[in-house]
Amino acid sequence: MPKVKDICRHVRTKNAGPFWVTVDFFYKDFDAYKEYKDSEDLGPDLFARLFGTDPTSIKRIPVDSLHMVKVSYVRPNAQAWKGERDMHSGQSFARLLDIDVRPSTSEGAV
């Protein structure tokens, strides 16, 4: 089964204000994007498990023209809280690279 690092040419995480983090999955090409963009393996449950966020707050935005998916989630604590280890969330993407990803189950048009 391919991993995120196998199907994406670039994955980045970034601060989206003091209460949100955004993850960008840039797929290697259109075919990879079409096959994996709606994979349940990159759904709300993953972000809840890895980042401690509320799965009902996940925002998922596919960007067909760039072959990428943007996922935003609420930080469990506001930016710069006392135990902060990555204030800008620039290193959070590393936890996602080795996640196994199955193809999307839906056959939606792109």
Side-chain angles (χ1 to χ4, degrees):
M1 186 177 318
K3 298 184 180 304
V4 168
K5 65 185 175 188
D6 299 325
I7 62 172
C8 292
R9 65 180 167 80
H10 187 67
V11 179
R12 72 178 175 198
T13 49
K14 57 188 175 180
N15 186 27
F19 306 108
W20 288 83
V21 173
T22 294
V23 181
D24 296 327
F25 295 95
F26 291 91
Y27 291 86
K28 287 187 173 186
D29 54 33
F30 179 73
D31 291 333
Y33 171 73
K34 189 168 69 172
E35 187 171 359
Y36 295 101
K37 74 177 181 116
D38 294 317
S39 175
E40 293 177 17
D41 294 323
L42 298 177
D45 292 339
L46 172 70
F47 291 90
R49 182 171 46 88
L50 289 183
F51 302 109
T53 190
D54 175 4
T56 63
S57 71
I58 304 293
K59 295 181 182 184
R60 185 179 175 87
I61 304 163
V63 184
D64 296 344
S65 62
L66 297 175
H67 309 149
M68 63 92 68
V69 173
K70 180 178 291 290
V71 177
S72 294
Y73 63 89
V74 175
R75 289 171 168 261
N77 297 294
Q79 181 183 15
W81 71 286
K82 185 177 178 182
E84 184 78 66
R85 295 180 68 200
D86 183 9
M87 187 177 300
H88 300 289
S89 299
Q91 303 303 311
S92 299
F93 74 92
R95 300 165 119 188
L96 297 163
L97 297 178
D98 286 321
I99 298 297
D100 291 328
V101 185
R102 292 171 293 194
S104 304
T105 54
S106 64
E107 292 292 326
V110 177

